[in-house]
């Protein structure tokens, strides 16, 4: 299966009539493995800061999670495994696997919980596959 098919078939599919606004799989080195058409253009330092928070949980809390020029307030996640952020009626979930980060961005009416399930389910699968 190609990385793009993970985006198209596993992340951007419809759940209860809703779907993610954008999604991406980005390697731990910052390289894009695959992304949806609406995924924001990000800066390398934004990915570096996210990676740092997985190694040093809480490092993003004072400044927020930045991606593509948008700032998300960091909310409850799973230390070293998942970072969640909120900005008004939109949000982000980032799941760390062995080799990559999986990003899901959403807007209401999709709920944070729906986004979390989609992103974390694929992340758990990739971890089980050694990826």
């Amino acid at each position: 299966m190609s990385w793009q098919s993970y985006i198209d078939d596993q992340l951007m599919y419809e759940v209860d009539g809703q779907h993610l606004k954008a999604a991406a799989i980005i390697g731990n080195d910052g390289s894009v493995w695959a992304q949806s058409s609406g995924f924001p253009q990000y800066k390398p330092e934004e990915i570096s800061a996210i990676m740092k928070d997985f190694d040093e949980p809480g490092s993003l809390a004072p400044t927020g999670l930045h991606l593509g020029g948008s700032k998300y307030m960091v909310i409850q996640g799973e230390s070293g495994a998942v970072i969640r952020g909120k900005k008004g009626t939109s949000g982000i979930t980032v799941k760390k696997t062995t080799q990559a980060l999986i990003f899901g961005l959403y807007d209401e009416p999709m709920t944070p919980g729906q986004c979390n399930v989609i992103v974390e389910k694929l992340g758990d699968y990739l971890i089980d596959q050694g990826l």
Side-chain angles (χ1 to χ4, degrees):
M1 182 181 284
S2 76
W3 290 111
Q4 191 61 45
S5 64
Y6 282 111
I7 297 291
D8 300 338
D9 302 336
Q10 303 295 317
L11 294 173
M12 297 302 291
Y13 73 97
E14 197 170 290
V15 177
D16 298 329
Q18 307 302 320
H19 59 84
L20 294 175
K21 177 174 76 171
I25 301 173
I26 298 176
N28 289 343
D29 62 357
S31 63
V32 175
W33 292 8
Q35 65 183 15
S36 66
S37 60
F39 196 75
Q41 182 66 41
Y42 61 87
K43 297 177 183 159
E45 55 268 22
E46 293 172 330
I47 302 301
S48 296
I50 292 167
M51 287 297 296
K52 179 181 178 187
D53 194 78
F54 283 113
D55 294 332
E56 301 172 25
S59 65
L60 284 177
T63 59
L65 184 159
H66 294 264
L67 185 70
S70 292
K71 178 182 176 182
Y72 297 88
M73 177 179 66
V74 178
I75 56 175
Q76 158 252 338
E78 294 172 31
S79 185
V82 179
I83 301 170
R84 299 180 183 114
K86 187 93 170 111
K87 178 185 176 190
T89 60
S90 64
I92 185 170
T93 300
V94 185
K95 171 77 175 179
K96 185 178 189 310
T97 71
T98 309
Q99 298 178 22
L101 301 175
I102 301 171
F103 289 80
L105 287 80
Y106 69 92
D107 282 327
E108 287 183 354
M110 177 172 258
T111 66
Q114 289 170 318
C115 178
N116 296 341
V117 168
I118 292 168
V119 172
E120 293 174 38
K121 182 176 158 186
L122 177 60
D124 291 340
Y125 170 77
L126 292 177
I127 289 168
D128 288 346
Q129 302 304 305
L131 300 168

